[in-house]
Amino acid sequence: MLSSKGEDFRAFWTERHLCTLTTIRPDGTPHVVPVGVTLDVATATARVITSRRSHKVRQILAAGDGGAPAAVCQVDGRRWSTLEGRAVVRQEPEVVRDAERRYAERYRTPRPNPDRVVIEIAVTRALGTV
């Protein structure tokens, strides 16, 4: 699905941009926070590394095994892209290490965090100008 978006799309999601993650609170209102996001175009998987104690993680876990609806977005002037899908929390050590490696490639080496988990979003829709 994402591989058909082209090289401009792929490049935009590898450039260093701050992103936002939007999840839905139990009362239906959006919860939007700044995050770093990595995207695997081949598997249509967006990843966010974070602490297991964060509000965003608690919201996703509360949604159950099927995950929670989520969106990540980034903007650079007139260029923007939003990725939508279902988010789940992963905590397996090899999954966390892989996500940290991807984050380091796009942003910087993350600080050590023994409580780190990964929010994985199975992307089902991509919107934007790239």
Side-chain angles (χ1 to χ4, degrees):
M1 171 191 118
L2 297 182
S3 56
S4 67
K5 290 288 194 181
E7 189 52 40
D8 287 346
F9 175 84
R10 183 184 309 271
F12 189 57
W13 280 99
T14 59
E15 298 168 4
R16 190 179 194 284
H17 297 291
L18 186 62
C19 302
T20 59
L21 168 68
T22 303
T23 54
I24 306 300
R25 294 183 183 103
D27 68 2
T29 59
H31 177 253
V32 184
V33 294
V35 294
V37 176
T38 62
L39 176 63
D40 183 335
V41 171
T43 64
T45 304
R47 293 176 177 87
V48 175
I49 58 174
T50 188
S51 174
R52 77 179 71 247
R53 292 183 174 93
S54 70
H55 186 73
K56 54 191 166 285
V57 166
R58 290 193 310 268
Q59 285 183 165
I60 294 167
L61 290 174
D65 291 341
V72 290
C73 182
Q74 66 180 13
V75 62
D76 180 41
R78 298 179 94 155
R79 300 182 311 152
W80 65 274
S81 180
T82 298
L83 307 174
E84 299 175 351
R86 298 219 49 101
V88 296
V89 176
R90 303 282 307 271
Q91 55 188 343
E92 303 91 332
E94 66 278 5
V95 172
V96 173
R97 280 192 304 275
D98 179 60
E100 289 172 331
R101 178 189 59 77
R102 292 170 187 271
Y103 182 92
E105 288 174 3
R106 184 170 189 198
Y107 296 101
R108 61 176 171 75
T109 301
R111 65 177 171 72
N113 180 354
D115 289 329
R116 182 165 288 132
V117 295
V118 181
I119 296 171
E120 281 189 352
I121 301 169
V123 178
T124 56
R125 180 181 296 161
L127 309 165
T129 60
V130 293

